[in-house]
């Protein structure tokens, strides 16, 4: 057995999950064994594949039923090749479903969620306008509030500001591998929330995801990198050749799915506290294939080049976490609906 992290680390994770306001994207901890009592840090997530312990409810808030547009803010130093990988993942959400199992088939699970009128989440996810902040306008160390200030700078810029689209727009802030964000690596790899009018001037659903390649790939880019406290564990080969960006893809998918189903943190979630909700991707944390649960990702595919993935995009392969399917009350990927 590989030793678990020190108890203070686990206690810190419990506290941060229960007390923080933004909604976090957690990564699997590979030292845990399937079906063990310490699968994840919060009791509501311990039995993520079993309906007996899941109490997902609709709280009457809006979901994104109109065509969804993702406006991206590239903060810091980004290569063209890295941008292309992420753009093509987002484009693949609305792509043709013929390449089974596909990213668009995975999105069909998200589409099952409805608002109070019975309208489903939109099938269409489009790439919107982009903003480059290559000069680190707010520095290389961001807080959660300064992230909102970055978004404000992007929507109020004198030249080519991002459009204001509170009803169907998602604002995706991506930080490069030399930028540290509050609680990054130690507690979170990404989170979503909505902007405060007092800071940005508007209430806009947004998400932040960081490139962990230099700071903590073993935490946020697992299984394409492994934690240092597990000697001998071999990392999987990233499908697009970029450990940091390939690790970001699943977190981006996690956040977009939860923004679509819970944009103002008053729609679909489990738990009694809306400031610390357990959402449709949280319920499947660490599950990427059949049999997944705890530290086991589930059955994955391996290409002829040795790369590990579980979904196909329009031109690429990706590893993306599964989503909670409230109709059948368990986690599903593209296999169930991508036919």
């Amino acid at each position: 057995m590989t030793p678990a992290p020190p108890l203070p680390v686990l206690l810190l994770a419990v506290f941060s999950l229960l007390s923080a306001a933004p909604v976090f994207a957690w990564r699997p901890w590979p030292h845990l064994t399937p079906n063990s009592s310490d699968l994840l840090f919060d009791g509501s997530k311990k039995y993520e594949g079993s309906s007996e312990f899941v109490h997902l409810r609709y709280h009457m808030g809006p979901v994104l039923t109109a065509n969804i547009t993702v406006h991206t803010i590239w903060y810091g130093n980004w290569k063209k090749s890295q941008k292309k990988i992420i753009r093509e993942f987002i484009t693949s959400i609305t792509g043709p479903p013929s390449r089974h199992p596909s990213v668009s088939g995975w999105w069909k699970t998200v589409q099952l969620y409805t608002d109070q009128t019975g309208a489903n989440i939109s099938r269409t996810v489009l790439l919107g306008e982009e903003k480059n902040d290559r000069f680190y306008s707010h520095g290389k160390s961001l807080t959660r509030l300064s992230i909102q200030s970055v978004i404000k700078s992007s929507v109020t810029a004198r030249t080519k500001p991002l459009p204001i689209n509170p009803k169907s727009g998602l604002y995706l802030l991506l930080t490069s591998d030399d930028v540290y964000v509050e609680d990054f690596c130690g507690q979170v790899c990404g989170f979503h929330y909505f902007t405060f009018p007092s800071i940005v001037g508007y209430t806009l659903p947004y998400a932040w995801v960081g490139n962990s390649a230099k700071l903590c790939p073993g935490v946020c880019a697992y299984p394409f990198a492994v934690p240092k406290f597990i000697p001998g564990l071999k990392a999987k080969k990233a499908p697009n050749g970029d450990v940091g960006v390939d690790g970001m893809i699943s977190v981006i998918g996690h956040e977009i799915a939860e923004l679509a189903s819970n944009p103002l943190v008053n729609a679909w979630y489990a738990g009694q506290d809306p400031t610390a909700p357990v959402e449709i991707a949280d319920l499947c944390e660490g599950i990427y294939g059949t049999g997944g649960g705890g530290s086991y990702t589930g059955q994955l595919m391996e290409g002829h080049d040795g790369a590990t993935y579980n979904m196909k995009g329009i031109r690429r392969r990706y590893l993306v976490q599964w989503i909670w399917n409230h109709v059948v009350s368990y986690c599903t990927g593209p296999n169930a609906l991508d036919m």
Side-chain angles (χ1 to χ4, degrees), residues 130-298:
E130 298 184 1
K131 197 68 179 175
N132 292 298
D133 196 334
R134 62 178 62 91
F135 297 113
Y136 309 87
S137 63
H138 290 72
K140 290 189 176 183
S141 182
L142 303 176
T143 65
R144 292 176 190 146
L145 287 181
S146 64
I147 280 177
Q148 295 203 21
S149 296
V150 173
I151 296 172
K152 177 184 179 181
S153 297
S154 297
V155 299
T156 60
R158 291 185 178 180
T159 58
K160 297 182 179 180
L162 291 182
I164 304 299
N165 186 2
K167 291 187 177 180
S168 61
L170 300 184
Y171 296 79
L172 182 61
L173 174 60
L174 304 175
T175 51
S176 58
D177 60 12
D178 56 349
V179 176
Y180 175 74
V181 174
E182 183 180 0
D183 296 327
F184 191 21
C185 297
Q187 299 175 29
V188 299
C189 303
F191 61 74
H192 77 85
Y193 209 55
F194 52 85
T195 60
F196 302 146
S198 59
I199 297 177
V200 180
Y202 307 90
T203 300
L204 305 173
Y206 77 93
W208 157 76
V209 180
N211 186 335
S212 66
K214 293 180 180 177
L215 296 171
C216 59
V219 175
C220 293
Y222 177 82
F224 306 125
V226 296
K228 293 180 180 179
F229 60 77
I230 308 182
L233 183 62
K234 186 177 180 181
K236 302 293 185 181
K237 183 177 180 181
N240 296 290
D242 190 309
V243 168
V245 173
D246 275 304
M248 291 178 73
I249 290 297
S250 187
V251 185
I252 290 171
H254 179 126
E255 299 303 340
I256 291 178
E258 292 185 342
L259 277 168
S261 59
N262 198 27
L264 301 180
V265 199
N266 62 356
W268 288 94
Y269 64 87
Q272 301 300 316
D273 185 357
T275 66
V278 178
E279 300 175 279
I280 67 170
D282 296 326
L283 290 167
C284 302
E285 185 60 47
I287 298 178
Y288 295 81
T290 301
S295 64
Y296 177 52
T297 58

Side-chain angles (χ1 to χ4, degrees), residues 1-333:
M1 295 291 292
T2 305
L7 181 59
V9 174
L10 297 179
L11 293 176
L12 176 61
V14 172
F15 177 78
S16 64
L17 181 62
L18 294 176
S19 62
V23 185
F24 297 152
W26 289 81
R27 301 296 289 165
W29 288 91
H31 69 279
L32 301 177
T33 56
N35 302 317
S36 68
S37 62
D38 60 350
L39 293 183
L40 285 172
F41 302 125
D42 180 73
S44 61
K45 296 186 181 182
K46 283 185 178 180
Y47 305 94
E48 52 197 54
S50 173
S51 61
E52 181 181 354
F53 299 95
V54 173
H55 302 286
L56 184 72
R57 293 192 302 114
Y58 177 53
H59 296 79
M60 305 305 289
V63 303
L64 300 186
T65 57
N67 289 351
I68 298 167
T69 303
V70 180
H71 301 294
T72 309
I73 302 168
W74 303 97
Y75 191 88
N77 183 25
W78 288 93
K79 299 177 183 177
K80 290 182 179 179
S81 60
Q82 294 176 319
K83 291 182 176 181
K84 189 173 183 181
I85 293 169
I86 293 172
R87 287 187 189 118
E88 292 187 354
F89 169 69
I90 296 171
T91 302
S92 294
I93 294 175
T94 308
S98 56
R99 299 183 66 202
H100 173 76
S102 70
V103 174
S104 59
W106 164 82
W107 186 255
K108 288 181 180 179
T109 298
V110 182
Q111 284 182 258
L112 294 174
Y113 290 87
T114 61
D115 64 13
Q116 56 186 303
T117 71
N120 292 82
I121 289 175
S122 176
R123 175 189 179 276
T124 303
V125 180
L126 304 172
L127 279 173
E129 300 297 319
E130 298 184 1
K131 197 68 179 175
N132 292 298
D133 196 334
R134 62 178 62 91
F135 297 113
Y136 309 87
S137 63
H138 290 72
K140 290 189 176 183
S141 182
L142 303 176
T143 65
R144 292 176 190 146
L145 287 181
S146 64
I147 280 177
Q148 295 203 21
S149 296
V150 173
I151 296 172
K152 177 184 179 181
S153 297
S154 297
V155 299
T156 60
R158 291 185 178 180
T159 58
K160 297 182 179 180
L162 291 182
I164 304 299
N165 186 2
K167 291 187 177 180
S168 61
L170 300 184
Y171 296 79
L172 182 61
L173 174 60
L174 304 175
T175 51
S176 58
D177 60 12
D178 56 349
V179 176
Y180 175 74
V181 174
E182 183 180 0
D183 296 327
F184 191 21
C185 297
Q187 299 175 29
V188 299
C189 303
F191 61 74
H192 77 85
Y193 209 55
F194 52 85
T195 60
F196 302 146
S198 59
I199 297 177
V200 180
Y202 307 90
T203 300
L204 305 173
Y206 77 93
W208 157 76
V209 180
N211 186 335
S212 66
K214 293 180 180 177
L215 296 171
C216 59
V219 175
C220 293
Y222 177 82
F224 306 125
V226 296
K228 293 180 180 179
F229 60 77
I230 308 182
L233 183 62
K234 186 177 180 181
K236 302 293 185 181
K237 183 177 180 181
N240 296 290
D242 190 309
V243 168
V245 173
D246 275 304
M248 291 178 73
I249 290 297
S250 187
V251 185
I252 290 171
H254 179 126
E255 299 303 340
I256 291 178
E258 292 185 342
L259 277 168
S261 59
N262 198 27
L264 301 180
V265 199
N266 62 356
W268 288 94
Y269 64 87
Q272 301 300 316
D273 185 357
T275 66
V278 178
E279 300 175 279
I280 67 170
D282 296 326
L283 290 167
C284 302
E285 185 60 47
I287 298 178
Y288 295 81
T290 301
S295 64
Y296 177 52
T297 58
Q299 298 178 18
L300 305 178
M301 292 181 283
E302 188 171 295
H304 294 298
D305 57 355
T308 296
Y309 66 101
N310 68 345
M311 298 179 198
K312 299 174 184 177
I314 295 174
R315 285 173 289 272
R316 298 176 182 272
R317 301 163 296 173
Y318 300 101
L319 184 66
V320 186
Q321 180 196 298
W322 281 13
I323 298 294
W324 183 260
N325 184 328
H326 73 96
V327 176
V328 295
S329 294
Y330 56 77
C331 300
T332 57

